[in-house]
Amino acid sequence: MPIPAQPYPYPLPSSGLALLIIDMQRDFIEPGGFGDALGNDVSLLRAIIPQVKALQEAFRRYNLPIFQTVEGHLPDLSDCPPSKRDRDNGSLKIGDRGPMGRILVLGEPGNGIIPELAPLPGEVIIPKPGKGAFYATELETHLQAQGITHLIITGVTTEVCVQTTMREANDRGYECLLVEDATESYFPAFKQATLEMLRAQDGIIGWTGSTEAVLNALATQYSAPVMT
Ligand code: TIU
C-alpha cells in the first residue's frame, strides 16, 4: 500500500525499507552541546521525539532495519576540517570541553543519542564527520548488504544534516520519504522551505509525509512477527 505523501503517494516496497534517524544526539537537543554553542534554542527540537520514537518502535515491531547516525569527530580532530571548526564563533568550538564533554567528539556524553531513542543492542549507529550520512561513512555498505532501496528519513536538523543526507541518498538511487513531523530545525522557516524544495518538481529529491501516514501504511503492509 502506498503511503499518502506529497507530491504524490510514496510506493512502499514489500522489502528493502529502512528507517534512518539522523543525529538525535544530546549535542543538538540538550543545553551545553554543539547546537547551543552555535547560539540556537535547542528546546525547539524536542517536539519531534514522540514521533521519532513511534516510528522507531514500529520498525522494531515489524522487524525492519533502523540506522541511526551521530555527527562527531575523532578525539584528535583529524577528521574535522579546520574550516568547520573555525567557522564557529561561539564560546565553545568543536573539540573544546563543555558541560557534556568535548563538543562534537565521538564517545563524549554530549555525543550520545538522547535516552528516549537509545538504540537496542544490534541496531547500527553510523558515526559521521560531515553533515551528510553518506560522506566518509559505512552507511552505504550497510544499506547494500541488507538490500535497502527505500529510506524513511527522520531527525535533525531539517535543512542541515537531514537535507544533505536525503540529497546524497537520492543521488545514489534511494527512494526517500522525509517525515514532516519527525524532523525539526532551529529555524521554522528553514524547515518549511526544505520540505517544499525537496518535494517540488514531482519529487525532485523525494517525498514528504506524516508520521501517522507512515505508521498506518506500515500496519497495513507488514505483519508483526508472532510472539511465542
Ligand atoms: N547546526 C545545525 O543546524 N545542524 C548541524 O550542525 N548538524 C545537524 O544538522 N545534525
Side-chain angles (χ1 to χ4, degrees):
M1 172 189 156
I3 300 177
Q6 294 193 62
Y8 51 85
Y10 176 82
L12 193 58
S14 55
S15 66
L17 183 74
L19 176 65
L20 189 53
I21 303 175
I22 302 291
D23 298 357
M24 290 297 284
Q25 61 200 71
R26 299 177 67 199
D27 288 304
F28 297 111
I29 298 168
E30 295 185 10
F34 184 54
D36 193 4
L38 290 171
N40 298 300
D41 174 2
V42 293
S43 67
L44 281 174
L45 304 192
R46 301 197 68 84
I48 63 166
I49 296 173
Q51 291 81 264
V52 180
K53 180 86 198 141
L55 290 162
Q56 184 188 48
E57 286 174 349
F59 273 70
R60 285 176 180 160
R61 194 177 324 124
Y62 303 128
N63 219 7
L64 296 167
I66 301 170
F67 300 91
Q68 296 216 48
T69 65
V70 291
E71 181 178 350
H73 296 281
L74 298 169
D76 65 3
L77 303 187
S78 57
D79 59 353
C80 179
S83 59
K84 182 175 180 182
R85 182 172 148 85
D86 293 345
R87 217 177 299 155
D88 169 6
N89 279 325
S91 53
L92 290 171
K93 288 183 178 296
I94 294 170
D96 291 348
R97 196 160 294 281
M100 294 196 290
R102 294 182 66 204
I103 299 281
L104 221 59
V105 170
L106 296 172
E108 295 287 333
N111 205 236
I113 289 167
I114 58 169
E116 295 90 331
L117 299 172
L120 292 178
E123 290 180 1
V124 178
I125 301 180
I126 308 278
K128 64 181 186 53
K131 302 307 181 191
F134 288 83
Y135 168 67
T137 74
E138 298 290 318
L139 178 60
E140 194 163 21
T141 305
H142 284 283
L143 297 180
Q144 287 174 348
Q146 297 195 37
I148 303 301
T149 53
H150 287 60
L151 294 172
I152 302 295
I153 302 179
T154 63
V156 296
T157 61
T158 313
E159 79 282 9
V160 184
C161 291
V162 172
Q163 171 165 219
T164 304
T165 296
M166 186 155 159
R167 289 175 181 277
E168 286 182 329
N170 179 59
D171 279 349
R172 287 165 173 78
Y174 295 94
E175 303 276 30
C176 300
L177 182 145
L178 175 57
V179 186
E180 296 154 4
D181 53 347
T183 183
E184 197 50 270
S185 168
Y186 301 122
F187 305 90
F190 291 174
K191 172 179 173 175
Q192 193 54 37
T194 301
L195 296 176
E196 288 173 18
M197 69 175 80
L198 291 174
R199 68 191 178 215
Q201 304 179 69
D202 286 341
I204 191 78
I205 307 297
W207 288 258
T208 76
S210 69
T211 298
E212 187 183 11
V214 175
L215 292 176
N216 287 340
L218 291 180
T220 304
Q221 177 127 344
Y222 301 101
S223 56
V226 177
M227 308 303 283
T228 53

